[in-house]
Amino acid sequence: MRIYDKVEPDKKRWESGQAILHREFQEKQDEKAYGVKNSFGRLDYLKKGRKPGQDKEGLSLEAFEAPGTPIHTEKEKHLDRSSMKKINHGERRKLYASEVPFHNQAFFYEMSGAKKSAPFLKCMKTLIHQQGHQTLEDAFGFLDQEEDRMELKHLKENQNEHLNEGSDQDHKRIDALNSRLLRKEAMERQLCNELQVMLDERTREGYEGGKIRQAQEEDKKQRPDKNHKDDGFIRRRLQPEGTTSVGSEDTDDSEDIEDNEAHSSDAKEHV
């Protein structure tokens, strides 16, 4: 039996209306999280924190208890950054999870240097295709395109070998595969764009935050002298009559008295 004659499988969860991606901004404890989500999972960008285990910055996936999906434990659904464990994944070794095994639960992908969405998407594709990660498959199964491409290639090669023997069924299957791949590619582009917007916002936020901190530090360096002069002026203005000041303010008051006496003498001589 040829592989392209197989019965069409049930519709995947990622193809349902529930799998449409939505951008979201939410407060997570003491930090703002940027993410995309659908009914099966949520991708957030987590920045570095001051608490133990939060010294890494990157993208996290958390699972939802959607209808028909496997039941998750709390450690599988949600990422505990303080107890993340490194998972061997290729040479980059940027992948972490709260516990192992790793087929269903939340995970964290460390981002460093130039923040690009393409390496992370490549990681997601590998997890779906090789690891069989169920949450990724439910939410972002459109990233797994290899099987469809292989079947389409086989069909086209078979048509080329038997130019006049292609059946109507073969033509329909080729059309269906082309349409399916176009949908997958469109959804992948959407996810890639959303993730890159998220990463760019983080990069810009970090750049602007650095500029603000630099301006504040420069302002602090200039502020002490200015405050000292202003405080001396205020103290002089609030000094009660008949009292003397201390330090440099004594000099200012004595000079004012001498000036007044000099003006009085000049006035008498003129009269």
Side-chain angles (χ1 to χ4, degrees), residues 76-89:
E76 285 178 330
K77 281 196 299 183
H78 306 296
L79 185 73
D80 182 3
R81 295 183 74 183
S82 63
S83 63
M84 292 193 307
K85 297 177 177 64
K86 183 175 287 189
I87 296 172
N88 290 330
H89 174 68

Side-chain angles (χ1 to χ4, degrees), residues 52-241:
Q54 295 186 359
D55 56 332
K56 297 176 180 62
E57 184 173 2
L59 289 157
S60 72
L61 173 81
E62 296 188 349
F64 292 145
E65 294 288 2
T69 58
I71 301 299
H72 298 82
T73 66
E74 286 302 310
K75 286 186 177 181
E76 285 178 330
K77 281 196 299 183
H78 306 296
L79 185 73
D80 182 3
R81 295 183 74 183
S82 63
S83 63
M84 292 193 307
K85 297 177 177 64
K86 183 175 287 189
I87 296 172
N88 290 330
H89 174 68
E91 298 178 355
R92 298 178 70 87
R93 297 191 176 183
K94 291 177 174 288
L95 203 62
Y96 297 80
S98 295
E99 64 176 12
V100 291
F102 181 56
H103 293 294
N104 291 321
Q105 72 269 34
F107 67 81
F108 176 88
Y109 183 86
E110 183 182 1
M111 305 291 288
S112 59
K115 296 182 174 67
K116 301 294 182 184
S117 59
F120 177 62
L121 286 178
K122 184 178 180 181
C123 171
M124 291 173 71
K125 289 182 177 183
T126 302
L127 294 179
I128 293 173
H129 192 65
Q130 296 181 4
Q131 299 279 349
H133 195 286
Q134 189 62 50
T135 299
L136 275 174
E137 177 64 39
D138 292 336
F140 306 107
F142 52 83
L143 293 174
D144 187 11
Q145 302 166 15
E146 291 306 310
E147 185 176 348
D148 291 338
R149 293 189 192 282
M150 288 178 62
E151 183 179 352
L152 184 60
K153 180 181 178 182
H154 184 86
L155 280 168
K156 288 182 175 180
E157 287 176 350
N158 187 68
Q159 270 195 339
N160 290 334
E161 291 175 3
H162 307 87
L163 294 177
N164 298 320
E165 296 181 11
S167 65
D168 290 340
Q169 186 178 0
D170 290 343
H171 291 303
K172 289 179 181 178
R173 184 59 182 160
I174 289 174
D175 291 341
L177 285 170
N178 278 324
S179 177
R180 182 182 174 89
L181 281 170
L182 286 174
R183 290 200 310 274
K184 285 186 172 185
E185 290 167 355
M187 295 182 77
E188 180 179 349
R189 285 194 299 271
Q190 181 197 352
L191 176 59
C192 186
N193 291 338
E194 293 288 0
L195 289 177
Q196 196 57 53
V197 167
M198 191 192 314
L199 297 176
D200 291 343
E201 284 174 346
R202 270 303 186 200
T203 303
R204 182 168 56 251
E205 183 181 90
Y207 174 72
E208 291 175 351
K211 288 179 66 177
I212 291 172
R213 286 191 295 272
Q214 183 179 0
Q216 289 174 342
E217 289 174 1
E218 292 177 355
D219 189 49
K220 282 181 181 178
K221 291 178 183 178
Q222 299 174 358
R223 197 178 301 165
D225 293 338
K226 180 182 177 182
N227 287 345
H228 178 73
K229 292 178 182 178
D230 290 345
D231 290 346
F233 173 75
I234 293 171
R235 283 198 299 271
R236 289 197 303 273
R237 296 290 294 176
L238 297 177
Q239 190 75 26
E241 292 185 7

